[in-house]
Amino acid sequence: MERLNSLGVIPVNKDILYSLFSDLKFPENKVSELERKRLIIRIRRDLYVVSKQVHNREISIELVANHYPVSRVAHVHYHMSVIASACKNFK
């Protein structure tokens, strides 16, 4: 959890997550496990954000939106509503 906590609320790609667990033989399995446990939330393919239950801070819509083209703003709002509802389930 301390490794994930160091990421804060910044969206990160899978390579950053793999580097956090580079001491493991199969870091991709660890990333899948963290996603199943909802410690990380997949925003889109290969892009994740640490869930609120890890660091107890709100996920920034602005930071997530920076990873989408302007033409996909509605898509970002949909994803943020999904993430917000997922975070509510952890309380």
Side-chain angles (χ1 to χ4, degrees):
M1 285 269 241
E2 210 170 296
R3 294 180 193 189
L4 291 177
N5 202 12
S6 68
L7 297 175
V9 295
I10 300 170
V12 295
N13 65 26
K14 68 176 182 173
D15 296 324
I16 292 172
L17 288 171
Y18 290 175
S19 70
L20 281 178
F21 301 103
S22 61
D23 56 320
L24 301 176
K25 188 171 183 179
F26 299 105
E28 60 274 7
N29 291 347
K30 183 65 173 181
V31 170
S32 296
E33 176 189 340
L34 293 170
E35 188 177 1
R36 274 193 309 280
K37 290 181 177 180
R38 297 184 183 215
L39 295 175
I40 58 173
I41 301 167
R42 184 174 5 169
I43 298 172
R44 64 181 176 126
R45 184 179 179 185
D46 298 337
L47 187 65
Y48 300 87
V49 66
V50 178
S51 84
K52 185 179 175 181
Q53 79 181 47
V54 174
H55 51 65
N56 204 23
R57 294 191 321 226
E58 293 294 326
I59 297 169
S60 170
I61 294 172
E62 293 82 10
L63 289 175
V64 172
N66 284 338
H67 294 277
Y68 284 91
V70 173
S71 63
R72 299 194 61 177
V73 171
H75 188 69
V76 170
H77 285 288
Y78 167 76
H79 276 284
M80 289 311 299
S81 66
V82 170
I83 291 169
S85 66
C87 288
K88 287 178 185 176
N89 292 333
F90 296 122
K91 289 184 179 180

